[in-house]
Every structure is written in structure tokens, then in C-alpha cells.
């Protein structure tokens, strides 16, 4: 048992070099698929989902299967976690039986507390504050289509949410500039903004943020757990939609990304998300490849 496992609760658990290594390894695993390469034979990943998921669940489960291991889907409804068993006891017990734990949860603190008490690596599969696995996939996708993102400009137009926070951290680690246009009451948290320093610039319109952008990104206006705010958010965000006008303001070869699921006609128009600059499907598929690289990195060393 390793008492100092490497965790991935945040992108900041990686150095810039490690982040780039995982991206390149994701590309390599995608291009050279070898069913005989099974570095995680007999290893088990426990996946705790307090929120819904399509991509995260399937990519981790398929990734473990490809690598010769297996994955357990655990929902609070069916485990004692849902009946109030402490995070400390749960982390100690679960980590004594499996090789890695992935959590998707409301509170970011749940992931960091699990990591504190777990004897195996803990992976953040999305919290209210961050979605680091999605950034691994987004960055792999950018590298595949356009090469290294160092020195490039990314426009984040929409909610200053978990994805936006992870983009702020990626900007620092991979050395790109993040342009943000969000309504005043939906800005990213100040601690994430100040940590990004010179890598972030704010704009009061999507058009202004998109100028010089090599990549335009958005996300739903109401994240999981905010469904009741949908109507009020539709009003607040109506001028923050990524549409053809925004893409025309960006560089001519700019890409469009969205972590999915998407709401066409809200945060993005169909002509953009289903248009030639959109790379949403490779972006989603890359969750599989880059998380295999992450699992290999955390578990093989
Ligand atoms: N992008 C993403 O994390 O998708 P799921 O919610 O389907 O896992
Ligand atoms: N911001 C979204 C991302 C979903 C993958 C949410 O938290 O619901």
C-alpha cells in the first residue's frame, strides 16, 4: 500500500511537463491501439457518481477494460455513503479494496477529503468547482488539431463555472491566454482568477472576447444541480451565446469546443456546434484516450 499516492483532484496536481506528457500519451494511445497492452491487468477502479454522466462513466469503464482491469459503478443510492457514512471511513475502506477511486460529486471538498484519507489515487470526475478530466481531453483535442496551445488565445464565453475554473488552471499550466466574457453575476471565483494572473483577460461581450481567439469554448448556462435557475439564467446569459457572429470575430481557423451535453439554441447555435469549426466529437472521444493516459500515469508508476 502506498501512503503517498498521486491524486488528480485538480489540474494543479500536475506539473506543466506532466500535463503535456499525459496529452501526448493520450494521442499515442489513440493512434496505436494495442489490445495486448494491458498495464492495469487485475486492477480495479471504483467510480462514485453523485451526479449523472454519460462520457465520464463510459470513458473510465471502457478505459479500464482496455487496460485489462475493471471498474465498479457506485451510486450513493446503493452504498452507505448515501446514508451518511463518513467520507473518512468510506475513503479508508474503499481504498483498501481497490486501486483507484474516481468521484463525481457536488462539493469539491468531498474529493479533497477522500484524497486525504485514501491510500490509492483519487481522481476528480467533476465537482461544483472543477472538471479537470475534461480539460485533459480538450487540450488533447487542441494539440491534435493545431499543435501545442502555448501562446495561443482561448475565449471562454458563458458561465464562470467548474469548466471555466479548470480552463483558468490550464491557461497557467500550458501557458495560453484565456479571454472570459461572462455576465457580472456569473463570473469565475476570484481565487481562480487571481491564481491565473497574466493568463486571463476579461471582456464585456462575447465578440470582444472572441477577437484573436484560436479556440472558442462554452458550456451549459445551468449546470447539474442548478436546474431550478434555468429561467433566470436564460435571461442573464442571452447575450453570451456562441453563434456565427462570434466565430467570425475569432481567428479564421479557430476551433469550437463544448464538454457536452449541450443545449443547442441556448449557449451555442446549431450552425456552430454542428459546423466545420466544431470538434465536439473528437473532444468527447478523447476523454477515453487521455484518461487511459492518466490512469497509466497514476497507477503504473
Ligand atoms: N463532459 C462530461 O463530463 O460528460 P458527462 O456528464 O456525460 O460525463
Ligand atoms: N458545467 C457542467 C458540466 C457537465 C459536464 C455541469 O457541471 O453540469
Amino acid at each position: 500500500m502506498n501512503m503517498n499516492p498521486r491524486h488528480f483532484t485538480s489540474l494543479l496536481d500536475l506539473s506543466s511537463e506532466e500535463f503535456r506528457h499525459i496529452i501526448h500519451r493520450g494521442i499515442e494511445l489513440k493512434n496505436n491501439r494495442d489490445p495486448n497492452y494491458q498495464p492495469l491487468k487485475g486492477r480495479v477502479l471504483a467510480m462514485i457518481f453523485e451526479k449523472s454522466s454519460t462520457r465520464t462513466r463510459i470513458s473510465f469503464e471502457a478505459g479500464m477494460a482496455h487496460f485489462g482491469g475493471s471498474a465498479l459503478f457506485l451510486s450513493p443510492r446503493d452504498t452507505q455513503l448515501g446514508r451518511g457514512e463518513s467520507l473518512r471511513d468510506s475513503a479508508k475502506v474503499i481504498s483498501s479494496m481497490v486501486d483507484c477511486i474516481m468521484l463525481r460529486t457536488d462539493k469539491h471538498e468531498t474529493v479533497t477529503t477522500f484524497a486525504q484519507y485514501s491510500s490509492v489515487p483519487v481522481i476528480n470526475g467533476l465537482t461544483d468547482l472543477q472538471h479537470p478530466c475534461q480539460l485533459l481531453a480538450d487540450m488533447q483535442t487542441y494539440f491534435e488539431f493545431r499543435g501545442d496551445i502555448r501562446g495561443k488565445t482561448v475565449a471562454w464565453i458563458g458561465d464562470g463555472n467548474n469548466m471555466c475554473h479548470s480552463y483558468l488552471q490550464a491557461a497557467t499550466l500550458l501557458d495560453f491566454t484565456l479571454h472570459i466574457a461572462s455576465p457580472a453575476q456569473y463570473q469565475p471565483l476570484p481565487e481562480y482568477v487571481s491564481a491565473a494572473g497574466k493568463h486571463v483577460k476579461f471582456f464585456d461581450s462575447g465578440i470582444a472576447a472572441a477577437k484573436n481567439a484560436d479556440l472558442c469554448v462554452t458550456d451549459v448556462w445551468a449546470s447539474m444541480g442548478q436546474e431550478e435557475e434555468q429561467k433566470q439564467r436564460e435571461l442573464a446569459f442571452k447575450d453570451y451565446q456562441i453563434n456565427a457572429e462570434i466565430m467570425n470575430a475569432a481567428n479564421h481557423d479557430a476551433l469550437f469546443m463544448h464538454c457536452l451535453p449541450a443545449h443547442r439554441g441556448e449557449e451555442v447555435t446549431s450552425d456552430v456546434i454542428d459546423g466545420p469549426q466544431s470538434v465536439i466529437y473528437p473532444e468527447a472521444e478523447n476523454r477515453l484516450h487521455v484518461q487511459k493516459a492518466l490512469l497509466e500515469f497514476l497507477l503504473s508508476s
Side-chain angles (χ1 to χ4, degrees):
M1 187 170 58
N2 179 1
M3 285 321 294
N4 285 310
R6 281 296 296 262
H7 298 298
F8 185 63
T9 61
S10 159
L11 286 173
L12 299 185
D13 287 338
L14 300 176
S15 67
S16 303
E17 293 69 33
E18 287 168 340
F19 194 167
R20 280 196 167 79
H21 161 77
I22 290 170
I23 292 167
H24 289 297
R25 185 67 183 135
I27 295 172
E28 198 171 59
L29 287 167
K30 182 177 184 176
N31 294 336
N32 307 305
R33 301 179 201 212
D34 175 4
N36 295 317
Y37 180 63
Q38 300 206 323
L40 301 184
K41 212 172 171 59
R43 314 285 282 278
V44 179
L45 169 72
M47 307 187 297
I48 301 169
F49 281 97
E50 291 181 352
K51 291 177 164 184
S52 307
S53 168
T54 296
R55 282 145 287 269
T56 304
R57 177 178 179 180
I58 297 170
S59 53
F60 272 113
E61 201 161 327
M64 284 303 290
H66 292 172
F67 272 177
S70 56
L72 288 173
F73 174 82
L74 303 169
S75 115
R77 275 187 304 281
D78 322 304
T79 60
Q80 300 290 7
L81 263 173
R83 296 184 55 250
E85 184 165 10
S86 78
L87 294 177
R88 177 190 169 126
D89 288 351
S90 301
K92 282 183 174 281
V93 170
I94 296 170
S95 67
S96 73
M97 300 183 196
V98 302
D99 302 281
C100 189
I101 300 171
M102 196 276 331
L103 280 126
R104 169 168 284 198
T105 161
D106 278 323
K107 287 205 211 80
H108 190 74
E109 262 189 348
T110 303
V111 170
T112 51
T113 305
F114 243 80
Q116 188 184 345
Y117 295 111
S118 169
S119 56
V120 300
V122 169
I123 296 173
N124 176 352
L126 180 145
T127 66
D128 55 346
L129 295 184
Q130 299 180 35
H131 195 2
C133 289
Q134 185 65 49
L135 259 290
L136 297 181
D138 285 23
M139 293 300 104
Q140 174 177 335
T141 311
Y142 191 88
F143 276 56
E144 275 178 348
F145 279 85
R146 297 284 184 263
D148 202 305
I149 200 163
R150 179 181 279 129
K152 303 287 185 184
T153 298
V154 178
W156 177 271
I157 297 164
D159 194 8
N161 64 8
N162 45 8
M163 278 294 299
C164 181
H165 292 156
S166 288
Y167 260 96
L168 282 163
Q169 296 185 331
T172 305
L173 284 165
L174 298 181
D175 195 18
F176 62 83
T177 302
L178 188 67
H179 286 181
I180 297 182
S182 305
Q185 63 276 44
Y186 297 104
Q187 298 282 323
L189 292 175
E191 55 267 37
Y192 286 86
V193 172
S194 55
K198 67 177 178 26
H199 293 97
V200 59
K201 291 185 183 140
F202 285 88
F203 296 85
D204 51 20
S205 75
I207 293 273
K211 204 159 179 276
N212 298 320
D214 301 291
L215 167 63
C216 297
V217 197
T218 191
D219 189 9
V220 288
W221 290 341
S223 284
M224 287 183 275
Q226 298 170 337
E227 289 79 4
E228 281 166 19
E229 299 172 25
Q230 177 69 26
K231 284 281 161 258
Q232 113 199 21
R233 283 172 170 267
E234 278 173 23
L235 289 176
F237 285 98
K238 68 178 173 24
D239 296 327
Y240 293 83
Q241 179 190 61
I242 297 196
N243 50 33
E245 198 187 349
I246 300 274
M247 293 308 292
N248 286 337
N251 288 340
H252 73 279
D253 64 346
L255 298 174
F256 171 79
M257 290 190 200
H258 189 307
C259 63
L260 304 180
H263 291 176
R264 286 167 174 76
E266 292 184 21
E267 73 274 9
V268 59
T269 52
S270 300
D271 57 334
V272 169
I273 195 169
D274 301 317
Q277 288 166 282
S278 173
V279 290
I280 54 165
Y281 298 125
E283 178 189 4
E285 180 190 328
N286 285 339
R287 293 291 302 276
L288 169 69
H289 307 295
V290 85
Q291 287 164 197
K292 285 168 74 175
L294 174 70
L295 290 164
E296 183 185 58
F297 172 79
L298 295 174
L299 294 176
S300 296
S301 49

